[in-house]
Amino acid sequence: MPKDKLLDISLATIEIFCQVYVKKNAIEVANHLDLSQPKVSRALAALRNVFDDPLFIRRESQFQATDRAHDLYPLFNEMLACRQQVDLLMRGVTGAVHDHVEIATVPQLEVNLTQSVKQAAYRVFDSELMVSTSPWGESTQQQLLNDEIAAAICFERANDRAILSKSVIQHRGGYLVAREDHPIWQAPNVDNMIDYPLVKLRTMPFPANKSPLGNYAKRVGKQLEIYATAPDLGSAANSLLNSDAIIIIGVKGAVNFLRNIKGLRAQQIELVQDNIILENFSHPTVYLWLRLDASGKVTTPFWLQHCLEDYILSMHQ
C-alpha cells in the first residue's frame, strides 16, 4: 500500500470504520456520529480503496467484517486512544482529573456504570476517581447545561441545541422476568402476560413513559394492572419476588442483573410475540447526552465519551 494513501486517512474516517465494525450498521453509525449516510459511505469507500479490500460485506441487514477489517480494528482503535491522550494534553489535563464525575442515567443502564467509569479513568490518569450516578429526569437537561453533571444516558433526544444527543444503539427484543415458580412460564405469550400485574421501571424507553404491553391490553379490551413503578432494579426485583407481577426489559445487562437474583427467572420473548407487543412503537434508542460549548464543540473529555459509549454497547451484548 502506498504510504501517501495511508497518510490521507483522517481520524474521522478511522472513527467511522471503528463504529461500523462495532455496530455493523451504517445507518446507526451515521445517527451516532451525527453524520449523513453518504459521508459514512464515502469514508468506507476511501478505506476500501486504500487497503484494496471490501472491509465489510453486507449480509442481510448487517455488515460482516473481512479478515483485513479484523486486523485493522485493534490498530485503529489504538490510534483513537492516542487521540484521546492528545485531547487531554491540549486541554491542559496531564496527570490530574476532576475529583468527582457524576452521570445521570436511567435504571436500565446503571448496573456497573460507576465501576466502568472508574476503571477507564484509572487507565488514563493512573489515579482513582470518585464517580456517582443520579436518576435521569426533568432536571437533567439543566444540570448538564450548568455543568453539574458530566453526561447523561437516556432513551430520548435532548430538546436544547446546546446538548448533543448521540444515538448509541437501538435494542431489539425484550426479555420477560418473573419469579422462578411463576405460572407465566407455563405459556409465556402476550395474551397470558396481560393477565398479571406489571412492574414498571421509573423511566420507560417509550414516549410518554407508556408500556407497550399496557397498550396491547387496551387493544384487546383489557386493563393491565400496574403493580409498582420501581425507581431502580433492586426495587423491581423485590416487587417481583413478592408478587405475581412480571416485568419486560430490553437492556440485556439489566436482565442479567435480575437473572442473577435468587428466585427470579428471565427469558427472551419470542420474536413473533415481541412484534405483537411493540406494534405501533419504535424500537427504543439509547442516547448519550453531551454538553456543547459556544462554538459547538463537545466539552465532555474524549476518554469519558468513549468509556460511556463502550459501556452502553456492552450492556446490550
Side-chain angles (χ1 to χ4, degrees):
M1 176 182 59
K3 187 178 293 185
D4 58 342
K5 278 191 174 183
L6 181 58
L7 293 175
D8 285 340
I9 301 175
S10 68
L11 284 172
T13 297
I14 289 173
E15 183 171 15
I16 289 172
F17 169 91
C18 289
Q19 290 295 331
V20 171
Y21 184 91
V22 171
K23 290 183 167 57
K24 301 178 175 62
N25 187 293
I27 297 176
E28 287 189 25
V29 171
N31 291 335
H32 172 67
L33 297 176
D34 199 22
L35 301 172
S36 66
Q37 274 188 259
K39 189 164 186 177
V40 172
S41 298
R42 287 195 297 271
L44 293 179
L47 286 171
R48 285 167 173 146
N49 180 55
V50 168
F51 294 101
D52 192 24
D53 187 271
L55 299 178
F56 300 101
I57 300 170
R58 188 183 294 278
R59 295 283 167 79
E60 296 180 351
S61 61
Q62 289 193 329
F63 281 135
Q64 181 175 318
T66 64
D67 289 341
R68 176 60 64 87
H70 285 308
D71 291 338
L72 288 172
Y73 176 72
L75 299 173
F76 280 176
N77 203 36
E78 187 174 346
M79 291 174 71
L80 291 178
C82 290
R83 184 184 73 174
Q84 167 184 320
Q85 296 290 346
V86 172
D87 180 64
L88 291 171
L89 290 171
M90 290 179 66
R91 291 171 182 264
V93 183
T94 52
V97 64
H98 292 299
D99 291 336
H100 178 241
V101 167
E102 183 172 337
I103 312 294
T105 186
V106 291
Q108 296 91 328
L109 287 151
E110 189 175 10
V111 181
N112 295 327
L113 175 57
T114 56
Q115 293 90 328
S116 296
V117 176
K118 284 182 179 180
Q119 290 169 4
Y122 194 83
R123 287 194 294 269
V124 174
F125 302 103
D126 196 25
S127 62
E128 295 289 338
L129 174 68
M130 288 182 60
V131 182
S132 63
T133 61
S134 58
W136 178 88
E138 292 182 1
S139 63
T140 298
Q141 188 166 278
Q142 193 58 50
Q143 287 178 309
L144 185 57
L145 293 173
N146 293 344
D147 205 20
E148 297 170 13
I149 58 175
I153 300 171
C154 59
F155 298 118
E156 62 182 62
R157 292 183 181 275
N159 56 23
D160 194 300
R161 292 186 178 181
I163 295 176
L164 172 64
S165 302
K166 294 188 75 172
S167 167
V168 180
I169 194 171
Q170 272 192 330
H171 55 254
R172 297 173 180 269
Y175 290 78
L176 174 66
V177 185
R179 290 193 334 265
E180 285 182 341
D181 60 349
H182 198 294
I184 189 63
W185 300 120
Q186 296 174 17
N189 57 57
V190 179
D191 289 313
N192 285 336
M193 291 178 200
I194 60 176
D195 288 335
Y196 298 99
L198 183 71
V199 171
K200 289 177 59 177
L201 286 168
R202 175 184 51 79
T203 304
M204 298 284 286
F206 300 101
N209 229 30
K210 289 181 180 178
S211 162
L213 192 62
N215 192 59
Y216 173 77
K218 287 182 180 179
R219 294 206 310 267
V220 298
K222 292 187 177 181
Q223 181 70 38
L224 183 66
E225 178 188 346
I226 303 299
Y227 180 81
T229 300
D232 52 53
L233 292 175
S235 299
N238 186 61
S239 294
L240 294 170
L241 288 168
N242 293 286
S243 71
D244 276 340
I246 63 171
I247 192 171
I248 295 177
I249 298 182
V251 179
K252 194 173 182 181
V255 175
N256 290 337
F257 173 87
L258 294 173
R259 177 184 278 138
N260 289 328
I261 294 176
K262 187 176 180 180
L264 292 182
R265 174 180 169 184
Q267 179 176 306
Q268 188 164 18
I269 299 170
E270 293 182 1
L271 181 60
V272 173
Q273 299 292 315
D274 198 62
N275 288 337
I276 292 172
I277 295 172
L278 287 178
E279 186 176 344
N280 301 322
F281 287 88
S282 299
H283 289 283
T285 300
V286 179
Y287 293 97
L288 176 61
W289 286 7
L290 305 169
R291 187 167 66 89
L292 303 174
D293 62 18
S295 66
K297 185 176 180 180
V298 173
T299 61
T300 307
F302 183 79
W303 72 267
L304 183 56
Q305 294 180 51
H306 190 63
C307 164
L308 295 176
E309 290 172 21
D310 283 350
Y311 166 78
I312 293 168
L313 291 171
S314 70
M315 284 288 284
H316 286 80
Q317 295 171 350

